[in-house]
Amino acid sequence: MDRRTFLSSSALLSAMHMAGPRAALAALPESGDGLTFVSRSAQGWCIPRPMYWSFDNRDPRIEMAGYSFSFQVFTYGKIENNFSLDGKSILLKQEGNRWTLHASRLSWPGQQRAAEGTFQAEVVLEGDRVLLHTQATAMEDIRGIKVRIHRLPRASFAYTGWQVTPNFAPVTHDGVTYNYPSYVGGMPVWFLGSETRGIAFSSLGVTPTPKRFGAQLLADGIEAELIVEQDASQLSPRFTAPAWELRRNTTLEAAINARMRLLEEKAGLKRWEDRNDVAPWARKIDLVVTLHGMHWSGYIFNNYGDMLDAVRWVTDRIDGQRVLFFLAAWEGRYYRQYGDSRADEQMGGADGLRRLVAFAHARGAHVMAMFGGNGSDPRLPGFEQWGATSTTSSLHELPGEIDWSRMRGYRVDWAEIRAGVSEGAWLSLAAPAWRNHLIEQVDGLNATYGFDGNFFDTQPDEGMPALADALRSRKPDLLLATEGWFDLSLASTPMSQTLDGPLGWSSRYQRRFAHLSLGEPSRGSTGVHELGFVPYNLPDLLESFNLPTVSFVENTYQTAPQAVEAVIRAAKNRVPVG
């Protein structure tokens, strides 16, 4: 998603390595979604924190519905600045429980001079609920609008990403910033209070345009920030932002439930048992077996023949109809072949891959192949046609400013050179050239080898629904999965490989199997993944994911058969929920 959030991918996986899946999110920094920096003080290095201006901006504060508000407008273009409302131009009206604000001018920082533009806000109070609408015009394209709420009581903060048990952390003077969509999933719903009661801040928008929440403890209480950006493909000097909802005296659970109702009503999100994009065969899955192929370095964990033997071993012990075999790095060097996936000769070639899939089918099992969803090697043939024009997301990044192009923020040290290998190009599925290239490639491989499912590495973006629709139109019983997820992505992909949200809300819509980085039972190898070794913890994996999962690197089931059979027993004992 947003290029900056990939910083937290590495942090998240490192946390999994050290603490296990359930504790991973608790190990991240409080502001850990990539929109922070590390500051220095006389005491040494401090925790990550947002950046703040070094002067009083003198934003006019407006009292409405029991809150103290101020507003800012961000422009993009030759001027590109953060503008406040010109205090002398503000007209405020109240009619019962409805307030309207109109500013006929904007202001340069610090109210030092006026700027062209207008701003309007409407605030409606309904019991403990406040509904806030904002609209602005400016002298150039508007990037976004910020709402600031002042003098809120001291409280703790919680968010809605991959964290089944919400982590309520105090808001400090250093501040926190979280964004949506982000690598760590979630909703544009944030909470300020305690585990029992507080204030929920929720966007009522149902598109993945960026939304952010910030909070900082000041002398007069907590100052919260609600930021929403305009769709970068539709930038204009006028922007009507999606509404925000502020709800007092509520709980994080109630806020999550309200967002789920909105998604079901407005965004087509369906509960797992009601989804029409999960074929009957996929509902029978009780076990996922990850078969690791070729590492980035060229080291082969399992070739197609080895994988076939693994399929035989597993299906000798459990009905194949209950097993999904997930092929990771099946097309050759992991990551390097993204964008040009094909049977690899060193792995056994096209014939070997056909035999593997056919054997799995003969045993009643199904096979899901892994593809790069958001990245490709720019040295591949044809990249200039389908890749070079796709490095800018039409929704999450601004023209000219963006550069997904060279692994920004997440540079994997595949070669152990201790500097990272900057060889991958981050691409967006929203770009038609990349999406269409991927559709034709994946659909052709599905037809050639009979893959039953397709897994797309890293985080889905706003182009995922179009990709999913195109692939399913050609193969209706195809199972689609992604590495990560956020609330809107669940409408198009019913399966993922990462942790659940607070209170387990995402499992209402999807099924999750263990991330390929979480080790295997013989020695904790992460196979093709960059973490190396992770202590294996079956009880933790069974508690953290919907589907029992086991990874095979070389000799896993030969070296640790009892440990693998324990996973198979857990799958056999699993009570299906549809």
Side-chain angles (χ1 to χ4, degrees), residues 172-204:
T172 68
H173 295 284
D174 287 321
V176 292
T177 304
Y178 276 81
N179 71 343
Y180 168 93
S182 84
Y183 188 86
V184 291
M187 302 171 163
V189 175
W190 298 278
F191 190 81
L192 205 56
S194 68
E195 296 184 22
T196 54
R197 282 295 195 222
I199 304 172
F201 305 86
S202 305
S203 171
L204 301 187

PDB file of all heavy atoms in Angstrom, residues 172-204:
ATOM      1  N   THR A 172       1.610   9.927  24.414  1.00  0.00           N
ATOM      2  CA  THR A 172       2.649  10.695  25.082  1.00  0.00           C
ATOM      3  C   THR A 172       2.934  11.994  24.323  1.00  0.00           C
ATOM      4  O   THR A 172       2.355  12.268  23.279  1.00  0.00           O
ATOM      5  CB  THR A 172       3.946   9.875  25.177  1.00  0.00           C
ATOM      6  OG1 THR A 172       4.467   9.701  23.849  1.00  0.00           O
ATOM      7  CG2 THR A 172       3.682   8.508  25.797  1.00  0.00           C
ATOM      8  N   HIS A 173       3.876  12.759  24.846  1.00  0.00           N
ATOM      9  CA  HIS A 173       4.283  13.999  24.178  1.00  0.00           C
ATOM     10  C   HIS A 173       4.938  13.721  22.835  1.00  0.00           C
ATOM     11  O   HIS A 173       4.947  14.571  21.948  1.00  0.00           O
ATOM     12  CB  HIS A 173       5.240  14.790  25.077  1.00  0.00           C
ATOM     13  CG  HIS A 173       4.610  15.276  26.347  1.00  0.00           C
ATOM     14  ND1 HIS A 173       3.759  16.354  26.379  1.00  0.00           N
ATOM     15  CD2 HIS A 173       4.685  14.801  27.617  1.00  0.00           C
ATOM     16  CE1 HIS A 173       3.350  16.552  27.640  1.00  0.00           C
ATOM     17  NE2 HIS A 173       3.887  15.622  28.402  1.00  0.00           N
ATOM     18  N   ASP A 174       5.528  12.539  22.669  1.00  0.00           N
ATOM     19  CA  ASP A 174       6.149  12.200  21.393  1.00  0.00           C
ATOM     20  C   ASP A 174       5.115  12.000  20.291  1.00  0.00           C
ATOM     21  O   ASP A 174       5.413  12.192  19.115  1.00  0.00           O
ATOM     22  CB  ASP A 174       6.986  10.927  21.526  1.00  0.00           C
ATOM     23  CG  ASP A 174       8.265  11.163  22.302  1.00  0.00           C
ATOM     24  OD1 ASP A 174       8.880  12.228  22.106  1.00  0.00           O
ATOM     25  OD2 ASP A 174       8.644  10.302  23.107  1.00  0.00           O
ATOM     26  N   GLY A 175       3.918  11.576  20.667  1.00  0.00           N
ATOM     27  CA  GLY A 175       2.853  11.428  19.685  1.00  0.00           C
ATOM     28  C   GLY A 175       2.880  10.097  18.947  1.00  0.00           C
ATOM     29  O   GLY A 175       3.875   9.353  18.970  1.00  0.00           O
ATOM     30  N   VAL A 176       1.766   9.788  18.304  1.00  0.00           N
ATOM     31  CA  VAL A 176       1.634   8.583  17.477  1.00  0.00           C
ATOM     32  C   VAL A 176       0.955   8.968  16.164  1.00  0.00           C
ATOM     33  O   VAL A 176       0.217   9.947  16.100  1.00  0.00           O
ATOM     34  CB  VAL A 176       0.795   7.477  18.169  1.00  0.00           C
ATOM     35  CG1 VAL A 176       1.515   6.915  19.371  1.00  0.00           C
ATOM     36  CG2 VAL A 176      -0.585   8.004  18.543  1.00  0.00           C
ATOM     37  N   THR A 177       1.252   8.212  15.133  1.00  0.00           N
ATOM     38  CA  THR A 177       0.598   8.401  13.841  1.00  0.00           C
ATOM     39  C   THR A 177       0.363   7.040  13.220  1.00  0.00           C
ATOM     40  O   THR A 177       1.287   6.235  13.144  1.00  0.00           O
ATOM     41  CB  THR A 177       1.456   9.235  12.871  1.00  0.00           C
ATOM     42  OG1 THR A 177       1.784  10.478  13.481  1.00  0.00           O
ATOM     43  CG2 THR A 177       0.695   9.499  11.578  1.00  0.00           C
ATOM     44  N   TYR A 178      -0.866   6.780  12.793  1.00  0.00           N
ATOM     45  CA  TYR A 178      -1.194   5.544  12.095  1.00  0.00           C
ATOM     46  C   TYR A 178      -1.917   5.871  10.806  1.00  0.00           C
ATOM     47  O   TYR A 178      -2.688   6.843  10.739  1.00  0.00           O
ATOM     48  CB  TYR A 178      -2.079   4.647  12.967  1.00  0.00           C
ATOM     49  CG  TYR A 178      -1.268   3.821  13.930  1.00  0.00           C
ATOM     50  CD1 TYR A 178      -0.805   4.366  15.125  1.00  0.00           C
ATOM     51  CD2 TYR A 178      -0.935   2.514  13.640  1.00  0.00           C
ATOM     52  CE1 TYR A 178      -0.042   3.625  15.996  1.00  0.00           C
ATOM     53  CE2 TYR A 178      -0.169   1.758  14.505  1.00  0.00           C
ATOM     54  CZ  TYR A 178       0.272   2.312  15.686  1.00  0.00           C
ATOM     55  OH  TYR A 178       1.044   1.575  16.537  1.00  0.00           O
ATOM     56  N   ASN A 179      -1.653   5.038   9.794  1.00  0.00           N
ATOM     57  CA  ASN A 179      -2.289   5.329   8.512  1.00  0.00           C
ATOM     58  C   ASN A 179      -3.115   4.166   8.009  1.00  0.00           C
ATOM     59  O   ASN A 179      -3.016   3.042   8.508  1.00  0.00           O
ATOM     60  CB  ASN A 179      -1.261   5.754   7.462  1.00  0.00           C
ATOM     61  CG  ASN A 179      -0.385   4.607   7.010  1.00  0.00           C
ATOM     62  OD1 ASN A 179      -0.304   3.573   7.655  1.00  0.00           O
ATOM     63  ND2 ASN A 179       0.285   4.803   5.887  1.00  0.00           N
ATOM     64  N   TYR A 180      -3.959   4.450   7.033  1.00  0.00           N
ATOM     65  CA  TYR A 180      -4.837   3.472   6.386  1.00  0.00           C
ATOM     66  C   TYR A 180      -4.886   3.818   4.913  1.00  0.00           C
ATOM     67  O   TYR A 180      -5.031   4.991   4.567  1.00  0.00           O
ATOM     68  CB  TYR A 180      -6.235   3.554   6.995  1.00  0.00           C
ATOM     69  CG  TYR A 180      -7.288   2.794   6.196  1.00  0.00           C
ATOM     70  CD1 TYR A 180      -7.604   1.477   6.505  1.00  0.00           C
ATOM     71  CD2 TYR A 180      -7.951   3.403   5.135  1.00  0.00           C
ATOM     72  CE1 TYR A 180      -8.559   0.784   5.769  1.00  0.00           C
ATOM     73  CE2 TYR A 180      -8.893   2.717   4.393  1.00  0.00           C
ATOM     74  CZ  TYR A 180      -9.202   1.410   4.720  1.00  0.00           C
ATOM     75  OH  TYR A 180     -10.140   0.725   3.985  1.00  0.00           O
ATOM     76  N   PRO A 181      -4.771   2.833   4.013  1.00  0.00           N
ATOM     77  CA  PRO A 181      -4.436   1.439   4.291  1.00  0.00           C
ATOM     78  C   PRO A 181      -2.963   1.320   4.671  1.00  0.00           C
ATOM     79  O   PRO A 181      -2.158   2.154   4.275  1.00  0.00           O
ATOM     80  CB  PRO A 181      -4.712   0.749   2.958  1.00  0.00           C
ATOM     81  CG  PRO A 181      -5.471   1.706   2.122  1.00  0.00           C
ATOM     82  CD  PRO A 181      -5.082   3.064   2.603  1.00  0.00           C
ATOM     83  N   SER A 182      -2.641   0.288   5.399  1.00  0.00           N
ATOM     84  CA  SER A 182      -1.252   0.098   5.786  1.00  0.00           C
ATOM     85  C   SER A 182      -0.896  -1.369   5.688  1.00  0.00           C
ATOM     86  O   SER A 182      -1.773  -2.233   5.559  1.00  0.00           O
ATOM     87  CB  SER A 182      -0.999   0.600   7.214  1.00  0.00           C
ATOM     88  OG  SER A 182      -1.335  -0.397   8.158  1.00  0.00           O
ATOM     89  N   TYR A 183       0.386  -1.662   5.780  1.00  0.00           N
ATOM     90  CA  TYR A 183       0.829  -3.044   5.699  1.00  0.00           C
ATOM     91  C   TYR A 183       0.222  -3.890   6.817  1.00  0.00           C
ATOM     92  O   TYR A 183      -0.017  -5.078   6.647  1.00  0.00           O
ATOM     93  CB  TYR A 183       2.355  -3.119   5.752  1.00  0.00           C
ATOM     94  CG  TYR A 183       2.874  -4.515   5.481  1.00  0.00           C
ATOM     95  CD1 TYR A 183       3.090  -4.951   4.177  1.00  0.00           C
ATOM     96  CD2 TYR A 183       3.121  -5.407   6.523  1.00  0.00           C
ATOM     97  CE1 TYR A 183       3.535  -6.241   3.914  1.00  0.00           C
ATOM     98  CE2 TYR A 183       3.570  -6.691   6.272  1.00  0.00           C
ATOM     99  CZ  TYR A 183       3.773  -7.105   4.967  1.00  0.00           C
ATOM    100  OH  TYR A 183       4.208  -8.379   4.724  1.00  0.00           O
ATOM    101  N   VAL A 184      -0.031  -3.289   7.965  1.00  0.00           N
ATOM    102  CA  VAL A 184      -0.551  -4.050   9.095  1.00  0.00           C
ATOM    103  C   VAL A 184      -2.071  -4.050   9.139  1.00  0.00           C
ATOM    104  O   VAL A 184      -2.679  -4.180  10.187  1.00  0.00           O
ATOM    105  CB  VAL A 184       0.035  -3.555  10.436  1.00  0.00           C
ATOM    106  CG1 VAL A 184       1.487  -3.905  10.514  1.00  0.00           C
ATOM    107  CG2 VAL A 184      -0.164  -2.074  10.621  1.00  0.00           C
ATOM    108  N   GLY A 185      -2.705  -3.940   7.954  1.00  0.00           N
ATOM    109  CA  GLY A 185      -4.138  -4.166   7.830  1.00  0.00           C
ATOM    110  C   GLY A 185      -4.995  -3.155   8.567  1.00  0.00           C
ATOM    111  O   GLY A 185      -4.627  -2.010   8.782  1.00  0.00           O
ATOM    112  N   GLY A 186      -6.182  -3.590   8.937  1.00  0.00           N
ATOM    113  CA  GLY A 186      -7.047  -2.785   9.772  1.00  0.00           C
ATOM    114  C   GLY A 186      -8.100  -1.978   9.037  1.00  0.00           C
ATOM    115  O   GLY A 186      -8.344  -2.136   7.843  1.00  0.00           O
ATOM    116  N   MET A 187      -8.737  -1.108   9.813  1.00  0.00           N
ATOM    117  CA  MET A 187      -9.816  -0.234   9.370  1.00  0.00           C
ATOM    118  C   MET A 187      -9.408   1.219   9.597  1.00  0.00           C
ATOM    119  O   MET A 187      -8.522   1.498  10.409  1.00  0.00           O
ATOM    120  CB  MET A 187     -11.072  -0.480  10.216  1.00  0.00           C
ATOM    121  CG  MET A 187     -11.624  -1.877  10.215  1.00  0.00           C
ATOM    122  SD  MET A 187     -12.935  -1.990  11.483  1.00  0.00           S
ATOM    123  CE  MET A 187     -13.777  -3.481  10.960  1.00  0.00           C
ATOM    124  N   PRO A 188     -10.092   2.166   8.948  1.00  0.00           N
ATOM    125  CA  PRO A 188      -9.881   3.573   9.309  1.00  0.00           C
ATOM    126  C   PRO A 188     -10.705   3.920  10.554  1.00  0.00           C
ATOM    127  O   PRO A 188     -11.552   4.812  10.560  1.00  0.00           O
ATOM    128  CB  PRO A 188     -10.371   4.319   8.057  1.00  0.00           C
ATOM    129  CG  PRO A 188     -11.427   3.440   7.487  1.00  0.00           C
ATOM    130  CD  PRO A 188     -10.998   2.029   7.794  1.00  0.00           C
ATOM    131  N   VAL A 189     -10.438   3.167  11.617  1.00  0.00           N
ATOM    132  CA  VAL A 189     -11.122   3.315  12.907  1.00  0.00           C
ATOM    133  C   VAL A 189     -10.054   3.329  13.981  1.00  0.00           C
ATOM    134  O   VAL A 189      -9.247   2.394  14.066  1.00  0.00           O
ATOM    135  CB  VAL A 189     -12.111   2.150  13.153  1.00  0.00           C
ATOM    136  CG1 VAL A 189     -12.712   2.252  14.558  1.00  0.00           C
ATOM    137  CG2 VAL A 189     -13.207   2.134  12.098  1.00  0.00           C
ATOM    138  N   TRP A 190     -10.053   4.366  14.793  1.00  0.00           N
ATOM    139  CA  TRP A 190      -9.082   4.484  15.877  1.00  0.00           C
ATOM    140  C   TRP A 190      -9.817   4.826  17.170  1.00  0.00           C
ATOM    141  O   TRP A 190     -10.933   5.354  17.151  1.00  0.00           O
ATOM    142  CB  TRP A 190      -8.051   5.552  15.532  1.00  0.00           C
ATOM    143  CG  TRP A 190      -7.273   5.198  14.303  1.00  0.00           C
ATOM    144  CD1 TRP A 190      -6.191   4.367  14.225  1.00  0.00           C
ATOM    145  CD2 TRP A 190      -7.509   5.630  12.955  1.00  0.00           C
ATOM    146  NE1 TRP A 190      -5.741   4.267  12.933  1.00  0.00           N
ATOM    147  CE2 TRP A 190      -6.536   5.031  12.127  1.00  0.00           C
ATOM    148  CE3 TRP A 190      -8.465   6.461  12.358  1.00  0.00           C
ATOM    149  CZ2 TRP A 190      -6.472   5.232  10.760  1.00  0.00           C
ATOM    150  CZ3 TRP A 190      -8.415   6.677  10.988  1.00  0.00           C
ATOM    151  CH2 TRP A 190      -7.432   6.071  10.196  1.00  0.00           C
ATOM    152  N   PHE A 191      -9.162   4.539  18.287  1.00  0.00           N
ATOM    153  CA  PHE A 191      -9.859   4.636  19.577  1.00  0.00           C
ATOM    154  C   PHE A 191      -8.967   5.318  20.595  1.00  0.00           C
ATOM    155  O   PHE A 191      -7.773   5.033  20.683  1.00  0.00           O
ATOM    156  CB  PHE A 191     -10.239   3.233  20.057  1.00  0.00           C
ATOM    157  CG  PHE A 191     -11.150   3.219  21.247  1.00  0.00           C
ATOM    158  CD1 PHE A 191     -12.512   3.406  21.089  1.00  0.00           C
ATOM    159  CD2 PHE A 191     -10.639   3.020  22.522  1.00  0.00           C
ATOM    160  CE1 PHE A 191     -13.360   3.386  22.189  1.00  0.00           C
ATOM    161  CE2 PHE A 191     -11.471   3.009  23.629  1.00  0.00           C
ATOM    162  CZ  PHE A 191     -12.843   3.188  23.460  1.00  0.00           C
ATOM    163  N   LEU A 192      -9.563   6.178  21.376  1.00  0.00           N
ATOM    164  CA  LEU A 192      -8.862   6.935  22.412  1.00  0.00           C
ATOM    165  C   LEU A 192      -9.652   6.784  23.702  1.00  0.00           C
ATOM    166  O   LEU A 192     -10.809   7.199  23.784  1.00  0.00           O
ATOM    167  CB  LEU A 192      -8.781   8.409  22.004  1.00  0.00           C
ATOM    168  CG  LEU A 192      -7.658   9.277  22.556  1.00  0.00           C
ATOM    169  CD1 LEU A 192      -6.300   8.684  22.250  1.00  0.00           C
ATOM    170  CD2 LEU A 192      -7.771  10.679  21.970  1.00  0.00           C
ATOM    171  N   GLY A 193      -9.042   6.151  24.705  1.00  0.00           N
ATOM    172  CA  GLY A 193      -9.753   5.962  25.965  1.00  0.00           C
ATOM    173  C   GLY A 193      -9.102   4.878  26.777  1.00  0.00           C
ATOM    174  O   GLY A 193      -7.885   4.822  26.930  1.00  0.00           O
ATOM    175  N   SER A 194      -9.938   3.967  27.295  1.00  0.00           N
ATOM    176  CA  SER A 194      -9.452   2.822  28.070  1.00  0.00           C
ATOM    177  C   SER A 194     -10.091   1.569  27.488  1.00  0.00           C
ATOM    178  O   SER A 194     -10.838   1.624  26.515  1.00  0.00           O
ATOM    179  CB  SER A 194      -9.842   2.979  29.544  1.00  0.00           C
ATOM    180  OG  SER A 194     -11.258   2.877  29.684  1.00  0.00           O
ATOM    181  N   GLU A 195      -9.811   0.427  28.103  1.00  0.00           N
ATOM    182  CA  GLU A 195     -10.388  -0.816  27.605  1.00  0.00           C
ATOM    183  C   GLU A 195     -11.890  -0.871  27.851  1.00  0.00           C
ATOM    184  O   GLU A 195     -12.579  -1.730  27.283  1.00  0.00           O
ATOM    185  CB  GLU A 195      -9.687  -2.011  28.262  1.00  0.00           C
ATOM    186  CG  GLU A 195      -8.210  -2.111  27.888  1.00  0.00           C
ATOM    187  CD  GLU A 195      -7.554  -3.351  28.458  1.00  0.00           C
ATOM    188  OE1 GLU A 195      -8.292  -4.308  28.758  1.00  0.00           O
ATOM    189  OE2 GLU A 195      -6.320  -3.358  28.599  1.00  0.00           O
ATOM    190  N   THR A 196     -12.409   0.005  28.665  1.00  0.00           N
ATOM    191  CA  THR A 196     -13.846  -0.013  28.945  1.00  0.00           C
ATOM    192  C   THR A 196     -14.621   1.030  28.154  1.00  0.00           C
ATOM    193  O   THR A 196     -15.647   0.717  27.546  1.00  0.00           O
ATOM    194  CB  THR A 196     -14.101   0.202  30.451  1.00  0.00           C
ATOM    195  OG1 THR A 196     -13.446   1.410  30.885  1.00  0.00           O
ATOM    196  CG2 THR A 196     -13.560  -0.977  31.250  1.00  0.00           C
ATOM    197  N   ARG A 197     -14.131   2.261  28.096  1.00  0.00           N
ATOM    198  CA  ARG A 197     -14.886   3.319  27.424  1.00  0.00           C
ATOM    199  C   ARG A 197     -13.931   4.347  26.843  1.00  0.00           C
ATOM    200  O   ARG A 197     -12.805   4.520  27.282  1.00  0.00           O
ATOM    201  CB  ARG A 197     -15.823   4.048  28.410  1.00  0.00           C
ATOM    202  CG  ARG A 197     -17.093   3.300  28.741  1.00  0.00           C
ATOM    203  CD  ARG A 197     -17.952   3.180  27.510  1.00  0.00           C
ATOM    204  NE  ARG A 197     -19.300   2.797  27.833  1.00  0.00           N
ATOM    205  CZ  ARG A 197     -20.010   1.913  27.146  1.00  0.00           C
ATOM    206  NH1 ARG A 197     -19.491   1.302  26.113  1.00  0.00           N
ATOM    207  NH2 ARG A 197     -21.244   1.640  27.443  1.00  0.00           N
ATOM    208  N   GLY A 198     -14.425   5.079  25.819  1.00  0.00           N
ATOM    209  CA  GLY A 198     -13.633   6.134  25.234  1.00  0.00           C
ATOM    210  C   GLY A 198     -14.306   6.739  24.025  1.00  0.00           C
ATOM    211  O   GLY A 198     -15.526   6.648  23.866  1.00  0.00           O
ATOM    212  N   ILE A 199     -13.488   7.359  23.169  1.00  0.00           N
ATOM    213  CA  ILE A 199     -13.974   8.016  21.952  1.00  0.00           C
ATOM    214  C   ILE A 199     -13.464   7.232  20.750  1.00  0.00           C
ATOM    215  O   ILE A 199     -12.271   6.936  20.649  1.00  0.00           O
ATOM    216  CB  ILE A 199     -13.469   9.471  21.860  1.00  0.00           C
ATOM    217  CG1 ILE A 199     -13.873  10.267  23.108  1.00  0.00           C
ATOM    218  CG2 ILE A 199     -14.016  10.146  20.607  1.00  0.00           C
ATOM    219  CD1 ILE A 199     -13.236  11.642  23.161  1.00  0.00           C
ATOM    220  N   ALA A 200     -14.360   6.911  19.822  1.00  0.00           N
ATOM    221  CA  ALA A 200     -13.976   6.252  18.574  1.00  0.00           C
ATOM    222  C   ALA A 200     -13.976   7.277  17.459  1.00  0.00           C
ATOM    223  O   ALA A 200     -14.894   8.107  17.353  1.00  0.00           O
ATOM    224  CB  ALA A 200     -14.942   5.119  18.253  1.00  0.00           C
ATOM    225  N   PHE A 201     -12.957   7.232  16.617  1.00  0.00           N
ATOM    226  CA  PHE A 201     -12.828   8.111  15.456  1.00  0.00           C
ATOM    227  C   PHE A 201     -12.879   7.221  14.212  1.00  0.00           C
ATOM    228  O   PHE A 201     -11.987   6.405  14.003  1.00  0.00           O
ATOM    229  CB  PHE A 201     -11.509   8.873  15.495  1.00  0.00           C
ATOM    230  CG  PHE A 201     -11.287   9.657  16.763  1.00  0.00           C
ATOM    231  CD1 PHE A 201     -10.729   9.038  17.885  1.00  0.00           C
ATOM    232  CD2 PHE A 201     -11.612  10.997  16.842  1.00  0.00           C
ATOM    233  CE1 PHE A 201     -10.507   9.748  19.048  1.00  0.00           C
ATOM    234  CE2 PHE A 201     -11.400  11.722  18.006  1.00  0.00           C
ATOM    235  CZ  PHE A 201     -10.850  11.093  19.111  1.00  0.00           C
ATOM    236  N   SER A 202     -13.897   7.377  13.401  1.00  0.00           N
ATOM    237  CA  SER A 202     -14.102   6.462  12.275  1.00  0.00           C
ATOM    238  C   SER A 202     -14.364   7.242  10.998  1.00  0.00           C
ATOM    239  O   SER A 202     -15.178   8.181  10.988  1.00  0.00           O
ATOM    240  CB  SER A 202     -15.299   5.539  12.539  1.00  0.00           C
ATOM    241  OG  SER A 202     -15.162   4.854  13.754  1.00  0.00           O
ATOM    242  N   SER A 203     -13.690   6.826   9.919  1.00  0.00           N
ATOM    243  CA  SER A 203     -14.028   7.364   8.610  1.00  0.00           C
ATOM    244  C   SER A 203     -15.214   6.586   8.062  1.00  0.00           C
ATOM    245  O   SER A 203     -15.276   5.357   8.180  1.00  0.00           O
ATOM    246  CB  SER A 203     -12.847   7.231   7.651  1.00  0.00           C
ATOM    247  OG  SER A 203     -13.243   7.555   6.333  1.00  0.00           O
ATOM    248  N   LEU A 204     -16.142   7.283   7.440  1.00  0.00           N
ATOM    249  CA  LEU A 204     -17.281   6.635   6.798  1.00  0.00           C
ATOM    250  C   LEU A 204     -17.031   6.415   5.322  1.00  0.00           C
ATOM    251  O   LEU A 204     -17.930   6.023   4.586  1.00  0.00           O
ATOM    252  CB  LEU A 204     -18.557   7.464   7.016  1.00  0.00           C
ATOM    253  CG  LEU A 204     -18.937   7.689   8.486  1.00  0.00           C
ATOM    254  CD1 LEU A 204     -20.297   8.379   8.583  1.00  0.00           C
ATOM    255  CD2 LEU A 204     -18.950   6.384   9.270  1.00  0.00           C
TER     256      LEU A 204
END
